[in-house]
Amino acid sequence: MIRKELVAASAEPLILSLLAKGESYGYAIIQEVKARSDGKLNWTDGMLYPVLHRMEHRGLIKARWGESETGRKRKYYSLKKDGKAAMAKHHEQWSLVHSVLAGLQKEQYV
Amino acid sequence: MFDLEQAITDWRQQMLAAGIKTPVPLEELESHLREEIEQLMKSELNARQAFDKATQEVGKANMLKNEFEKIGATRGARNLKPYRTIMVACLGVESLFWAMCLLSKFGHFSEITNAQQMSGLAAIAVMVLLASIGLLGHSPVSVILSRRMRDVICHSNNRLMGLMSLCFFALVTEPLVFFFTLPTFGVGSLWVMLPLTGFLYGFIGGLEKAGLKRSSVAGV
């Protein structure tokens, strides 16, 4: 099980990266993250929607109401210009952390 | 017999009772709930089982309310729009006040010539221009990420502008200075005060905008 703090910290970069592929909606975002992490990142609605709304308010993403294939109302989110800049910054920072960690891990096995 | 629509209506009532009142989150949560139920029913659960599991996934009303309230608090702290509206309104009132003084030849401006009148109006235009540059754009030198620091600068600036407005209002309405001919003094005062006021309006507007923009991108 991934720690709660790490799940929270990784939510924004993951959402930004998912939306960089194209617009999406809450349910699909949760399902995609779950599938890509082999079920290890299991976000709840209570966690996702407040994060999405905060990101929308900060101008990183925008939302529009649309309809599903069956005619049900759905709120679609997409990336804004500031969101792309924030995503690039997140990628840079997470890559740095990853490279430091990977380097240290490698040294342990030498 | 389990009635799914009635169960969803009851769930909505529970959410409303817990305080999730804004229509957007509730509509969105309901849309998600229905999506989840539909998928669960495809995986051979009956309507009741699917509803129970889906509502469990969505989470309890109180927990959801707490999460949305956290955003509300952040939103209040970061909302720049009312502040900008007040600043633009103050700028408008101030510009209008001085323009009316000049055009109606009020106080020190009673013996003003046409050239001096035009000069005074130009000072107002410079103030509006300088303020607009700051409010619409944002200066790279004015990025201060600390909200507390920005607040201190804003409050000091607002007090300074208030004091300046009072002093100059007194000077225009009361004949306190005898060393200058009155119209020259009045128009000269406008040229000293208004561009400085415009710069301060613009500086504060730009400071807030740049700070919030940088905070937003940095995730601060």
Side-chain angles (χ1 to χ4, degrees):
Chain A
M1 190 61 123
I2 298 173
R3 286 174 56 203
K4 206 172 93 180
E5 292 82 0
L6 186 58
V7 173
S10 61
E12 189 175 302
L14 288 175
I15 292 168
L16 289 170
S17 304
L18 277 174
L19 294 181
K21 298 196 301 152
E23 68 172 9
S24 190
Y25 54 98
Y27 184 79
I29 292 172
I30 290 181
Q31 295 306 314
E32 188 158 357
V33 168
K34 194 175 172 182
R36 282 174 178 271
S37 65
D38 291 329
K40 291 187 180 81
L41 276 173
N42 201 358
W43 293 351
T44 61
D45 312 19
M47 180 222 135
L48 177 70
Y49 289 107
V51 174
L52 284 171
H53 285 221
R54 189 171 60 231
M55 288 167 70
E56 187 186 352
H57 175 68
R58 283 169 52 202
L60 303 179
I61 58 175
K62 61 183 177 192
R64 69 166 182 94
W65 280 101
E67 276 190 357
S68 69
E69 306 75 39
T70 53
R72 187 184 304 125
K73 269 175 79 181
R74 251 186 206 159
K75 199 176 176 190
Y76 289 93
Y77 293 91
S78 57
L79 211 55
K80 284 179 79 177
K81 197 179 157 195
D82 281 356
K84 284 182 187 163
M87 184 182 69
K89 207 166 180 84
H90 276 300
H91 282 178
E92 191 187 311
Q93 291 171 352
W94 280 83
S95 297
L96 176 73
V97 173
H98 178 261
S99 69
V100 172
L101 198 60
L104 287 168
Q105 194 183 20
K106 202 175 166 187
E107 282 172 22
Q108 285 174 9
Y109 294 105
V110 174
Chain B
M1 183 72 182
F2 178 75
D3 183 346
L4 182 60
E5 284 307 313
Q6 186 56 49
I8 291 173
T9 307
D10 293 345
W11 172 85
R12 270 187 78 100
Q13 289 303 322
Q14 281 173 25
M15 290 286 160
L16 283 168
I20 299 180
K21 284 176 182 156
T22 49
V24 173
L26 191 52
E27 290 296 320
E28 198 173 15
L29 286 172
E30 186 182 330
S31 163
H32 185 108
L33 184 77
R34 287 178 181 276
E35 199 105 36
E36 185 88 49
I37 291 168
E38 195 179 284
Q39 292 303 318
L40 290 168
M41 284 175 75
K42 279 182 193 166
S43 64
E44 293 177 354
L45 291 184
N46 65 34
R48 180 189 288 275
Q49 289 168 329
F51 173 79
D52 288 344
K53 193 159 187 223
T55 47
Q56 207 176 350
E57 291 273 323
V58 170
K60 287 184 179 160
N62 284 338
M63 187 271 285
L64 284 168
K65 188 196 166 201
N66 288 340
E67 291 299 324
F68 280 110
E69 272 179 354
K70 281 182 202 165
I71 294 177
T74 314
R75 192 169 292 184
R78 287 176 186 269
N79 201 349
L80 188 59
K81 270 188 185 169
Y83 186 79
R84 286 170 69 88
T85 308
I86 291 168
M87 286 192 78
V88 171
C90 288
L91 185 69
V93 168
E94 193 158 352
S95 309
L96 203 63
F97 172 76
W98 291 115
M100 291 299 288
C101 284
L102 282 166
L103 294 172
S104 64
K105 301 191 174 181
F106 175 73
H108 273 293
F109 304 121
S110 56
E111 291 166 24
I112 202 167
T113 63
N114 283 348
Q116 285 168 329
Q117 206 174 35
M118 291 305 288
S119 173
L121 290 172
I124 297 171
V126 169
M127 172 177 76
V128 173
L129 184 71
L130 286 173
S132 304
I133 289 169
L135 285 168
L136 296 176
H138 54 82
S139 162
V141 293
S142 63
V143 175
I144 297 174
L145 282 178
S146 162
R147 181 158 188 94
R148 188 175 289 181
M149 183 62 82
R150 292 205 304 269
D151 284 345
V152 168
I153 295 172
C154 283
H155 291 319
S156 315
N157 187 69
N158 290 343
R159 287 193 184 110
L160 179 67
M161 286 204 292
L163 195 66
M164 275 170 55
S165 299
L166 280 174
C167 289
F168 278 92
F169 182 76
L171 287 173
V172 167
T173 52
E174 297 293 328
L176 297 176
V177 179
F178 303 101
F179 305 108
F180 304 92
T181 60
L182 297 181
T184 310
F185 173 72
V187 175
S189 303
L190 287 185
W191 271 107
V192 171
M193 179 184 72
L194 297 189
L196 180 62
T197 308
F199 170 78
L200 290 174
Y201 269 120
F203 173 72
I204 292 302
L207 184 82
E208 276 293 297
K209 193 175 175 182
L212 288 182
K213 201 174 174 72
R214 185 67 72 86
S215 305
S216 161
V217 170
V220 177

PDB file of all heavy atoms in Angstrom, chain B residues 84-109:
ATOM      1  N   ARG B  84      -9.076  43.452  -7.010  1.00  0.00           N
ATOM      2  CA  ARG B  84      -8.837  44.201  -8.249  1.00  0.00           C
ATOM      3  C   ARG B  84     -10.025  45.110  -8.570  1.00  0.00           C
ATOM      4  O   ARG B  84      -9.861  46.231  -9.025  1.00  0.00           O
ATOM      5  CB  ARG B  84      -8.586  43.244  -9.421  1.00  0.00           C
ATOM      6  CG  ARG B  84      -7.229  42.595  -9.364  1.00  0.00           C
ATOM      7  CD  ARG B  84      -7.138  41.498 -10.388  1.00  0.00           C
ATOM      8  NE  ARG B  84      -7.127  42.028 -11.734  1.00  0.00           N
ATOM      9  CZ  ARG B  84      -6.027  42.390 -12.388  1.00  0.00           C
ATOM     10  NH1 ARG B  84      -4.866  42.273 -11.805  1.00  0.00           N
ATOM     11  NH2 ARG B  84      -6.081  42.856 -13.599  1.00  0.00           N
ATOM     12  N   THR B  85     -11.235  44.609  -8.298  1.00  0.00           N
ATOM     13  CA  THR B  85     -12.438  45.407  -8.565  1.00  0.00           C
ATOM     14  C   THR B  85     -12.407  46.674  -7.710  1.00  0.00           C
ATOM     15  O   THR B  85     -12.712  47.771  -8.199  1.00  0.00           O
ATOM     16  CB  THR B  85     -13.703  44.576  -8.236  1.00  0.00           C
ATOM     17  OG1 THR B  85     -13.602  43.343  -8.929  1.00  0.00           O
ATOM     18  CG2 THR B  85     -14.971  45.281  -8.669  1.00  0.00           C
ATOM     19  N   ILE B  86     -12.033  46.512  -6.425  1.00  0.00           N
ATOM     20  CA  ILE B  86     -11.976  47.671  -5.526  1.00  0.00           C
ATOM     21  C   ILE B  86     -10.933  48.669  -6.040  1.00  0.00           C
ATOM     22  O   ILE B  86     -11.179  49.879  -6.085  1.00  0.00           O
ATOM     23  CB  ILE B  86     -11.653  47.221  -4.080  1.00  0.00           C
ATOM     24  CG1 ILE B  86     -12.844  46.445  -3.502  1.00  0.00           C
ATOM     25  CG2 ILE B  86     -11.321  48.422  -3.184  1.00  0.00           C
ATOM     26  CD1 ILE B  86     -12.556  45.713  -2.223  1.00  0.00           C
ATOM     27  N   MET B  87      -9.783  48.141  -6.454  1.00  0.00           N
ATOM     28  CA  MET B  87      -8.719  49.024  -6.934  1.00  0.00           C
ATOM     29  C   MET B  87      -9.154  49.803  -8.183  1.00  0.00           C
ATOM     30  O   MET B  87      -8.923  51.002  -8.286  1.00  0.00           O
ATOM     31  CB  MET B  87      -7.452  48.223  -7.240  1.00  0.00           C
ATOM     32  CG  MET B  87      -6.737  47.784  -5.987  1.00  0.00           C
ATOM     33  SD  MET B  87      -5.115  47.163  -6.317  1.00  0.00           S
ATOM     34  CE  MET B  87      -4.201  48.635  -6.556  1.00  0.00           C
ATOM     35  N   VAL B  88      -9.800  49.088  -9.104  1.00  0.00           N
ATOM     36  CA  VAL B  88     -10.260  49.747 -10.344  1.00  0.00           C
ATOM     37  C   VAL B  88     -11.328  50.786 -10.005  1.00  0.00           C
ATOM     38  O   VAL B  88     -11.332  51.893 -10.553  1.00  0.00           O
ATOM     39  CB  VAL B  88     -10.788  48.696 -11.355  1.00  0.00           C
ATOM     40  CG1 VAL B  88     -11.472  49.361 -12.532  1.00  0.00           C
ATOM     41  CG2 VAL B  88      -9.636  47.823 -11.856  1.00  0.00           C
ATOM     42  N   ALA B  89     -12.225  50.452  -9.044  1.00  0.00           N
ATOM     43  CA  ALA B  89     -13.275  51.392  -8.648  1.00  0.00           C
ATOM     44  C   ALA B  89     -12.652  52.647  -8.027  1.00  0.00           C
ATOM     45  O   ALA B  89     -13.053  53.771  -8.349  1.00  0.00           O
ATOM     46  CB  ALA B  89     -14.233  50.719  -7.663  1.00  0.00           C
ATOM     47  N   CYS B  90     -11.650  52.451  -7.137  1.00  0.00           N
ATOM     48  CA  CYS B  90     -10.978  53.591  -6.493  1.00  0.00           C
ATOM     49  C   CYS B  90     -10.316  54.472  -7.555  1.00  0.00           C
ATOM     50  O   CYS B  90     -10.407  55.697  -7.501  1.00  0.00           O
ATOM     51  CB  CYS B  90      -9.910  53.112  -5.506  1.00  0.00           C
ATOM     52  SG  CYS B  90     -10.609  52.392  -4.034  1.00  0.00           S
ATOM     53  N   LEU B  91      -9.668  53.817  -8.497  1.00  0.00           N
ATOM     54  CA  LEU B  91      -8.981  54.550  -9.567  1.00  0.00           C
ATOM     55  C   LEU B  91      -9.989  55.360 -10.384  1.00  0.00           C
ATOM     56  O   LEU B  91      -9.753  56.530 -10.703  1.00  0.00           O
ATOM     57  CB  LEU B  91      -8.236  53.556 -10.475  1.00  0.00           C
ATOM     58  CG  LEU B  91      -7.364  54.140 -11.574  1.00  0.00           C
ATOM     59  CD1 LEU B  91      -6.152  54.843 -10.989  1.00  0.00           C
ATOM     60  CD2 LEU B  91      -6.900  53.039 -12.536  1.00  0.00           C
ATOM     61  N   GLY B  92     -11.133  54.734 -10.670  1.00  0.00           N
ATOM     62  CA  GLY B  92     -12.180  55.403 -11.435  1.00  0.00           C
ATOM     63  C   GLY B  92     -12.719  56.619 -10.694  1.00  0.00           C
ATOM     64  O   GLY B  92     -12.849  57.704 -11.270  1.00  0.00           O
ATOM     65  N   VAL B  93     -13.006  56.430  -9.391  1.00  0.00           N
ATOM     66  CA  VAL B  93     -13.561  57.524  -8.584  1.00  0.00           C
ATOM     67  C   VAL B  93     -12.548  58.666  -8.508  1.00  0.00           C
ATOM     68  O   VAL B  93     -12.901  59.838  -8.666  1.00  0.00           O
ATOM     69  CB  VAL B  93     -13.922  57.006  -7.165  1.00  0.00           C
ATOM     70  CG1 VAL B  93     -14.214  58.165  -6.214  1.00  0.00           C
ATOM     71  CG2 VAL B  93     -15.122  56.080  -7.239  1.00  0.00           C
ATOM     72  N   GLU B  94     -11.293  58.318  -8.288  1.00  0.00           N
ATOM     73  CA  GLU B  94     -10.254  59.344  -8.159  1.00  0.00           C
ATOM     74  C   GLU B  94     -10.092  60.124  -9.475  1.00  0.00           C
ATOM     75  O   GLU B  94     -10.018  61.360  -9.456  1.00  0.00           O
ATOM     76  CB  GLU B  94      -8.931  58.685  -7.754  1.00  0.00           C
ATOM     77  CG  GLU B  94      -7.921  59.693  -7.308  1.00  0.00           C
ATOM     78  CD  GLU B  94      -6.831  59.113  -6.417  1.00  0.00           C
ATOM     79  OE1 GLU B  94      -6.942  57.949  -6.015  1.00  0.00           O
ATOM     80  OE2 GLU B  94      -5.872  59.850  -6.149  1.00  0.00           O
ATOM     81  N   SER B  95     -10.056  59.390 -10.592  1.00  0.00           N
ATOM     82  CA  SER B  95      -9.913  60.044 -11.899  1.00  0.00           C
ATOM     83  C   SER B  95     -11.081  60.981 -12.149  1.00  0.00           C
ATOM     84  O   SER B  95     -10.912  62.122 -12.568  1.00  0.00           O
ATOM     85  CB  SER B  95      -9.875  59.021 -13.025  1.00  0.00           C
ATOM     86  OG  SER B  95      -8.940  58.044 -12.756  1.00  0.00           O
ATOM     87  N   LEU B  96     -12.289  60.467 -11.859  1.00  0.00           N
ATOM     88  CA  LEU B  96     -13.498  61.249 -12.091  1.00  0.00           C
ATOM     89  C   LEU B  96     -13.507  62.505 -11.218  1.00  0.00           C
ATOM     90  O   LEU B  96     -13.854  63.598 -11.679  1.00  0.00           O
ATOM     91  CB  LEU B  96     -14.723  60.369 -11.767  1.00  0.00           C
ATOM     92  CG  LEU B  96     -16.037  60.755 -12.420  1.00  0.00           C
ATOM     93  CD1 LEU B  96     -15.947  60.634 -13.929  1.00  0.00           C
ATOM     94  CD2 LEU B  96     -17.157  59.865 -11.899  1.00  0.00           C
ATOM     95  N   PHE B  97     -13.085  62.323  -9.945  1.00  0.00           N
ATOM     96  CA  PHE B  97     -13.075  63.448  -9.007  1.00  0.00           C
ATOM     97  C   PHE B  97     -12.181  64.578  -9.530  1.00  0.00           C
ATOM     98  O   PHE B  97     -12.594  65.735  -9.604  1.00  0.00           O
ATOM     99  CB  PHE B  97     -12.582  62.971  -7.635  1.00  0.00           C
ATOM    100  CG  PHE B  97     -12.347  64.095  -6.661  1.00  0.00           C
ATOM    101  CD1 PHE B  97     -13.418  64.723  -6.041  1.00  0.00           C
ATOM    102  CD2 PHE B  97     -11.064  64.542  -6.381  1.00  0.00           C
ATOM    103  CE1 PHE B  97     -13.211  65.774  -5.153  1.00  0.00           C
ATOM    104  CE2 PHE B  97     -10.847  65.590  -5.502  1.00  0.00           C
ATOM    105  CZ  PHE B  97     -11.926  66.209  -4.887  1.00  0.00           C
ATOM    106  N   TRP B  98     -10.953  64.227  -9.924  1.00  0.00           N
ATOM    107  CA  TRP B  98     -10.017  65.261 -10.380  1.00  0.00           C
ATOM    108  C   TRP B  98     -10.458  65.859 -11.721  1.00  0.00           C
ATOM    109  O   TRP B  98     -10.322  67.056 -11.945  1.00  0.00           O
ATOM    110  CB  TRP B  98      -8.597  64.708 -10.489  1.00  0.00           C
ATOM    111  CG  TRP B  98      -8.014  64.400  -9.138  1.00  0.00           C
ATOM    112  CD1 TRP B  98      -7.662  63.184  -8.653  1.00  0.00           C
ATOM    113  CD2 TRP B  98      -7.750  65.332  -8.088  1.00  0.00           C
ATOM    114  NE1 TRP B  98      -7.203  63.274  -7.371  1.00  0.00           N
ATOM    115  CE2 TRP B  98      -7.242  64.594  -6.995  1.00  0.00           C
ATOM    116  CE3 TRP B  98      -7.906  66.704  -7.931  1.00  0.00           C
ATOM    117  CZ2 TRP B  98      -6.876  65.175  -5.792  1.00  0.00           C
ATOM    118  CZ3 TRP B  98      -7.533  67.292  -6.727  1.00  0.00           C
ATOM    119  CH2 TRP B  98      -7.032  66.540  -5.681  1.00  0.00           C
ATOM    120  N   ALA B  99     -11.027  65.026 -12.582  1.00  0.00           N
ATOM    121  CA  ALA B  99     -11.513  65.537 -13.875  1.00  0.00           C
ATOM    122  C   ALA B  99     -12.648  66.539 -13.652  1.00  0.00           C
ATOM    123  O   ALA B  99     -12.689  67.596 -14.278  1.00  0.00           O
ATOM    124  CB  ALA B  99     -11.987  64.377 -14.747  1.00  0.00           C
ATOM    125  N   MET B 100     -13.537  66.212 -12.700  1.00  0.00           N
ATOM    126  CA  MET B 100     -14.656  67.115 -12.393  1.00  0.00           C
ATOM    127  C   MET B 100     -14.138  68.425 -11.801  1.00  0.00           C
ATOM    128  O   MET B 100     -14.639  69.507 -12.111  1.00  0.00           O
ATOM    129  CB  MET B 100     -15.630  66.451 -11.395  1.00  0.00           C
ATOM    130  CG  MET B 100     -16.407  65.281 -11.974  1.00  0.00           C
ATOM    131  SD  MET B 100     -17.457  65.709 -13.353  1.00  0.00           S
ATOM    132  CE  MET B 100     -18.747  66.604 -12.523  1.00  0.00           C
ATOM    133  N   CYS B 101     -13.128  68.314 -10.899  1.00  0.00           N
ATOM    134  CA  CYS B 101     -12.528  69.506 -10.287  1.00  0.00           C
ATOM    135  C   CYS B 101     -11.977  70.430 -11.378  1.00  0.00           C
ATOM    136  O   CYS B 101     -12.164  71.644 -11.334  1.00  0.00           O
ATOM    137  CB  CYS B 101     -11.396  69.117  -9.341  1.00  0.00           C
ATOM    138  SG  CYS B 101     -11.977  68.468  -7.785  1.00  0.00           S
ATOM    139  N   LEU B 102     -11.290  69.811 -12.344  1.00  0.00           N
ATOM    140  CA  LEU B 102     -10.668  70.600 -13.417  1.00  0.00           C
ATOM    141  C   LEU B 102     -11.716  71.209 -14.330  1.00  0.00           C
ATOM    142  O   LEU B 102     -11.666  72.391 -14.664  1.00  0.00           O
ATOM    143  CB  LEU B 102      -9.731  69.710 -14.250  1.00  0.00           C
ATOM    144  CG  LEU B 102      -8.371  69.391 -13.637  1.00  0.00           C
ATOM    145  CD1 LEU B 102      -7.714  68.247 -14.387  1.00  0.00           C
ATOM    146  CD2 LEU B 102      -7.465  70.625 -13.660  1.00  0.00           C
ATOM    147  N   LEU B 103     -12.673  70.382 -14.736  1.00  0.00           N
ATOM    148  CA  LEU B 103     -13.664  70.844 -15.710  1.00  0.00           C
ATOM    149  C   LEU B 103     -14.632  71.869 -15.111  1.00  0.00           C
ATOM    150  O   LEU B 103     -15.074  72.772 -15.802  1.00  0.00           O
ATOM    151  CB  LEU B 103     -14.428  69.639 -16.286  1.00  0.00           C
ATOM    152  CG  LEU B 103     -13.568  68.674 -17.129  1.00  0.00           C
ATOM    153  CD1 LEU B 103     -14.353  67.427 -17.493  1.00  0.00           C
ATOM    154  CD2 LEU B 103     -13.052  69.359 -18.390  1.00  0.00           C
ATOM    155  N   SER B 104     -14.934  71.697 -13.802  1.00  0.00           N
ATOM    156  CA  SER B 104     -15.866  72.654 -13.183  1.00  0.00           C
ATOM    157  C   SER B 104     -15.120  73.809 -12.509  1.00  0.00           C
ATOM    158  O   SER B 104     -15.738  74.644 -11.857  1.00  0.00           O
ATOM    159  CB  SER B 104     -16.740  71.930 -12.160  1.00  0.00           C
ATOM    160  OG  SER B 104     -15.922  71.447 -11.112  1.00  0.00           O
ATOM    161  N   LYS B 105     -13.779  73.821 -12.643  1.00  0.00           N
ATOM    162  CA  LYS B 105     -12.933  74.880 -12.073  1.00  0.00           C
ATOM    163  C   LYS B 105     -13.225  75.074 -10.577  1.00  0.00           C
ATOM    164  O   LYS B 105     -13.545  76.150 -10.108  1.00  0.00           O
ATOM    165  CB  LYS B 105     -13.116  76.181 -12.861  1.00  0.00           C
ATOM    166  CG  LYS B 105     -12.756  76.005 -14.327  1.00  0.00           C
ATOM    167  CD  LYS B 105     -12.673  77.293 -15.064  1.00  0.00           C
ATOM    168  CE  LYS B 105     -12.160  77.066 -16.481  1.00  0.00           C
ATOM    169  NZ  LYS B 105     -12.018  78.270 -17.261  1.00  0.00           N
ATOM    170  N   PHE B 106     -13.055  73.946  -9.864  1.00  0.00           N
ATOM    171  CA  PHE B 106     -13.362  73.901  -8.432  1.00  0.00           C
ATOM    172  C   PHE B 106     -12.132  74.284  -7.602  1.00  0.00           C
ATOM    173  O   PHE B 106     -11.005  73.934  -7.948  1.00  0.00           O
ATOM    174  CB  PHE B 106     -13.833  72.475  -8.096  1.00  0.00           C
ATOM    175  CG  PHE B 106     -14.087  72.226  -6.640  1.00  0.00           C
ATOM    176  CD1 PHE B 106     -15.215  72.771  -6.009  1.00  0.00           C
ATOM    177  CD2 PHE B 106     -13.218  71.454  -5.892  1.00  0.00           C
ATOM    178  CE1 PHE B 106     -15.445  72.519  -4.669  1.00  0.00           C
ATOM    179  CE2 PHE B 106     -13.444  71.205  -4.552  1.00  0.00           C
ATOM    180  CZ  PHE B 106     -14.562  71.747  -3.936  1.00  0.00           C
ATOM    181  N   GLY B 107     -12.327  74.987  -6.473  1.00  0.00           N
ATOM    182  CA  GLY B 107     -11.254  75.286  -5.514  1.00  0.00           C
ATOM    183  C   GLY B 107     -10.088  76.017  -6.146  1.00  0.00           C
ATOM    184  O   GLY B 107     -10.262  77.079  -6.763  1.00  0.00           O
ATOM    185  N   HIS B 108      -8.888  75.451  -6.047  1.00  0.00           N
ATOM    186  CA  HIS B 108      -7.677  76.059  -6.590  1.00  0.00           C
ATOM    187  C   HIS B 108      -7.729  76.217  -8.100  1.00  0.00           C
ATOM    188  O   HIS B 108      -6.915  76.935  -8.669  1.00  0.00           O
ATOM    189  CB  HIS B 108      -6.453  75.174  -6.261  1.00  0.00           C
ATOM    190  CG  HIS B 108      -5.852  75.492  -4.935  1.00  0.00           C
ATOM    191  ND1 HIS B 108      -5.230  76.676  -4.682  1.00  0.00           N
ATOM    192  CD2 HIS B 108      -5.795  74.769  -3.795  1.00  0.00           C
ATOM    193  CE1 HIS B 108      -4.796  76.663  -3.434  1.00  0.00           C
ATOM    194  NE2 HIS B 108      -5.138  75.517  -2.872  1.00  0.00           N
ATOM    195  N   PHE B 109      -8.634  75.490  -8.710  1.00  0.00           N
ATOM    196  CA  PHE B 109      -8.695  75.522 -10.175  1.00  0.00           C
ATOM    197  C   PHE B 109      -9.635  76.611 -10.706  1.00  0.00           C
ATOM    198  O   PHE B 109      -9.937  76.648 -11.896  1.00  0.00           O
ATOM    199  CB  PHE B 109      -9.163  74.166 -10.710  1.00  0.00           C
ATOM    200  CG  PHE B 109      -8.305  73.013 -10.255  1.00  0.00           C
ATOM    201  CD1 PHE B 109      -8.848  71.954  -9.533  1.00  0.00           C
ATOM    202  CD2 PHE B 109      -6.950  72.984 -10.546  1.00  0.00           C
ATOM    203  CE1 PHE B 109      -8.072  70.903  -9.104  1.00  0.00           C
ATOM    204  CE2 PHE B 109      -6.166  71.926 -10.117  1.00  0.00           C
ATOM    205  CZ  PHE B 109      -6.722  70.883  -9.391  1.00  0.00           C
TER     206      PHE B 109
END
